[in-house]
């Protein structure tokens, strides 16, 4: 079994940069995907395969993955970015999600 | 338009069975790995099962032996047969697609989810 750990919550001031981490053993050897989920809605992918951004996702969203930590960075945070964010990896034909991080915009 | 629509959720007693359906449109389920992901009320996402394009199937430890994933290409639909249901299976169940030719990849399309409540 593989474990990925995220902070429960991150707070950031409007217009500043938010950083959400996803920690796992040698996670740099895996593809990490990130999802945004608003209340009552299905998740939406915002970053896939560590650093790629789907069409329609603002350039303010970016990702990185090194060592034991993958990171989702949201620049110039807007009120609409307030959501839950989940990282996702695969290990031996099993998918694992991080516990989720609630992003609060102050 | 590429879309997934789940159905089949509801209230079921512990020990009962339920079959969820995920109807796909805009693509062929046979060409994509298809997954089920669930989310208990107020909790995070939990992966449940995958069916690969080659037909292989995998399950989380929490449902293996009780749940079965399958697909019907004639109906372009993926199913999740859930037996011996427990209170801890209560969740919104999402169907999620991987990109064509993907394998153990991102979930690029999600359905709106269907609620399963296991309670007496």
């Amino acid at each position: 079994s593989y474990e990925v750990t995220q902070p429960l919550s991150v707070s950031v001031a409007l217009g500043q940069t938010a950083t959400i981490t996803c920690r796992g053993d040698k996670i740099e050897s895996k593809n990490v995907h990130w999802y945004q989920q608003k209340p009552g809605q299905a998740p939406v992918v915002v970053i896939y395969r560590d650093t790629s951004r789907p069409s329609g996702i603002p350039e303010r969203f970016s990702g990185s993955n090194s060592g034991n930590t993958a990171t989702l960075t949201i620049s110039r945070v807007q009120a609409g970015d307030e959501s839950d964010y989940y990282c996702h990896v695969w290990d031996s034909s099993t998918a694992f999600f991080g516990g989720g991080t609630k992003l609060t915009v102050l | 338009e590429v879309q997934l629509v789940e159905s089949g959720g509801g209230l079921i007693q512990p020990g009962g069975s339920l079959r969820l359906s995920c109807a796909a449109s805009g693509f062929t389920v046979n060409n994509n790995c298809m997954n089920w992901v669930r989310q208990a009320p107020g909790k995070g996402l939990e992966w449940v099962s995958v069916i690969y394009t080659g037909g292989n199937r995998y399950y989380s430890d929490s449902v293996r032996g009780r749940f079965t994933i399958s697909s019907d290409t004639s109906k372009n639909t993926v199913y999740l047969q859930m037996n011996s249901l427990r209170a801890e299976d209560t969740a919104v169940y999402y169907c999620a697609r991987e990109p064509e030719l993907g394998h153990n990849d991102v979930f690029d399309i999600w359905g709106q989810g269907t609620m399963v409540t296991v309670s007496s």
Side-chain angles (χ1 to χ4, degrees):
Chain A
S1 185
Y2 189 83
E3 191 171 330
V4 282
T5 303
Q6 298 180 234
L8 276 175
S9 63
V10 168
S11 297
V12 61
L14 190 67
Q16 297 305 301
T17 297
T19 299
I20 299 174
T21 58
C22 177
R23 292 190 165 87
D25 185 45
K26 300 180 180 65
I27 200 171
E28 67 179 352
S29 66
K30 304 181 182 302
N31 285 320
V32 179
H33 318 294
W34 291 92
Y35 304 90
Q36 177 192 65
Q37 187 182 34
K38 295 184 182 291
Q41 298 182 19
V44 172
V45 56
V46 293
I47 293 291
Y48 65 99
R49 298 176 204 150
D50 297 342
T51 60
S52 297
R53 193 175 53 250
S55 60
I57 300 300
E59 292 182 7
R60 302 184 296 103
F61 289 79
S62 63
S64 64
N65 188 4
S66 178
N68 294 322
T69 304
T71 302
L72 172 68
T73 302
I74 309 171
S75 305
R76 302 182 300 282
V77 164
Q78 301 177 359
D81 298 332
E82 189 163 281
S83 300
D84 293 328
Y85 291 87
Y86 296 89
C87 62
H88 158 216
V89 301
W90 284 90
D91 183 74
S92 300
S93 298
T94 299
F96 296 93
F97 287 98
T101 298
K102 182 175 181 59
L103 177 67
T104 300
V105 180
L106 305 172
Chain B
E1 180 190 5
V2 174
Q3 196 175 10
L4 296 169
V5 178
E6 301 96 334
S7 61
L11 175 63
I12 187 77
Q13 291 189 340
S17 297
L18 212 54
R19 189 180 78 159
L20 305 183
S21 300
C22 169
S25 57
F27 73 101
T28 304
V29 296
N30 212 34
N31 294 338
N32 299 72
C33 298
M34 298 296 297
N35 293 261
W36 286 95
V37 176
R38 69 184 181 183
Q39 186 170 34
K43 302 297 185 183
L45 301 173
E46 180 190 12
W47 177 80
V48 173
S49 180
V50 61
I51 182 166
Y52 289 142
T53 53
N56 287 346
R57 311 160 199 209
Y58 293 88
Y59 303 91
S60 66
D61 290 345
S62 59
V63 308
R64 188 178 299 113
R66 300 187 298 124
F67 290 11
T68 303
I69 191 171
S70 63
S71 66
D72 184 337
T73 52
S74 67
K75 293 184 169 63
N76 211 30
T77 297
V78 177
Y79 301 98
L80 186 68
Q81 177 66 43
M82 305 186 297
N83 298 331
S84 303
L85 282 162
R86 307 165 179 167
E88 53 264 37
D89 295 319
T90 294
V92 174
Y93 284 74
Y94 295 101
C95 179
R97 185 195 84 162
E98 297 180 39
E100 189 169 335
L101 302 181
H103 180 85
N104 289 4
D105 207 343
V106 63
F107 300 153
D108 65 344
I109 301 293
W110 296 66
Q112 85 289 350
T114 186
M115 182 71 203
V116 173
T117 303
V118 184
S119 175
S120 54

